[in-house]
Amino acid sequence: MRDGFRTRNILLLSLAVVSTGLYLIDYFIIGNARDLAASFIGNLAFLPLYVMLVTMMVERIMRERERQTIMRKLNMVIGVFFSEAGNHLLKELSACVSISGQVRQELLVSGQWGEADFRRALAFLTSHDLQMDCRCCDIGDLKEFLMSKRSFMVGLLENQNLLEHEQFTELLWAVFHLMEELEARRSFDGMPHTDVEHINGDIKRAFGYLSHAWVLYMKHLKQDYPYLFSLAVRMNPMIEHPDPQVC
């Protein structure tokens, strides 16, 4: 700590010496103390404005760095979510989509994907009103899987940093609601049409948030973590039989 104070004092003293030296040079060149004093007072008058502008710039830079730090932590949390539950859930829910084959094709991320490909995938998810049919997947297995991940997802909601990521929070709430709807039913046999449609709506909401977040997460890996992106491409939940081996 003493070294830090010493360095700061040396820096301040050096700046003061440089400033004094420059004013002396100005005085010897101009040779007019009155003009020099007027110049000094004029600069001094603008000093509060300089301080304000510099302070605003520094605060903006610090806020941006803080935001980037929070986003890096959030992306780590999102990565854990997809590794632990999201990828499997995305695979299960995609089977309920009426055009599941087209969805799988549109989300078949490869190592050659660029910015335009990710935009196209997001545009597809946004522009298509995907219809669901929960009878196309094993809804009983889906219920058991979600219930087995309850503690894990409760832990995610306790992460205060998630408050900075509204869309991911909405995703967790949508998944939680789907889990509660399925958990509340002892059996899925003989469900009336109205109940089937209600479950389909919950699946649609969860799949919409989940697929959108997954594409953005894959884009993040492509840009910042190529080695993680490579494995994520090989284990893409849209592949029928994903294989971690590098071919």
Side-chain angles (χ1 to χ4, degrees), residues 2-109:
R2 290 183 177 178
D3 291 340
F5 281 120
R6 183 180 179 184
T7 302
R8 187 188 65 178
N9 291 335
I10 292 175
L11 177 61
L12 292 175
L13 180 60
S14 299
L15 291 174
V17 170
V18 170
S19 179
T20 303
L22 291 174
Y23 272 109
L24 287 174
I25 293 172
D26 194 8
Y27 174 75
F28 286 120
I29 292 175
I30 298 177
N32 189 328
R34 183 175 181 179
D35 290 342
L36 186 62
S39 176
F40 175 78
I41 294 174
N43 289 332
L44 190 63
F46 277 100
L47 183 60
L49 181 60
Y50 295 151
V51 172
M52 182 184 68
L53 292 176
V54 171
T55 302
M56 291 174 60
M57 292 175 62
V58 171
E59 287 183 350
R60 183 173 182 179
I61 293 173
M62 294 299 293
R63 284 198 302 268
E64 180 61 22
R65 288 185 176 180
E66 183 179 1
R67 188 191 69 82
Q68 291 177 357
T69 300
I70 292 175
M71 289 306 299
R72 281 196 295 270
K73 293 180 180 179
L74 283 175
N75 282 320
M76 289 177 63
V77 174
I78 293 172
V80 171
F81 166 76
F82 278 109
S83 177
E84 184 70 19
N87 285 340
H88 181 82
L89 184 59
L90 185 62
K91 188 179 186 69
E92 291 294 322
L93 296 184
S94 65
C96 299
V97 183
S98 59
I99 53 172
S100 58
Q102 185 178 355
V103 170
R104 291 177 185 275
Q105 186 64 35
E106 291 290 338
L107 301 185
L108 198 60
V109 181

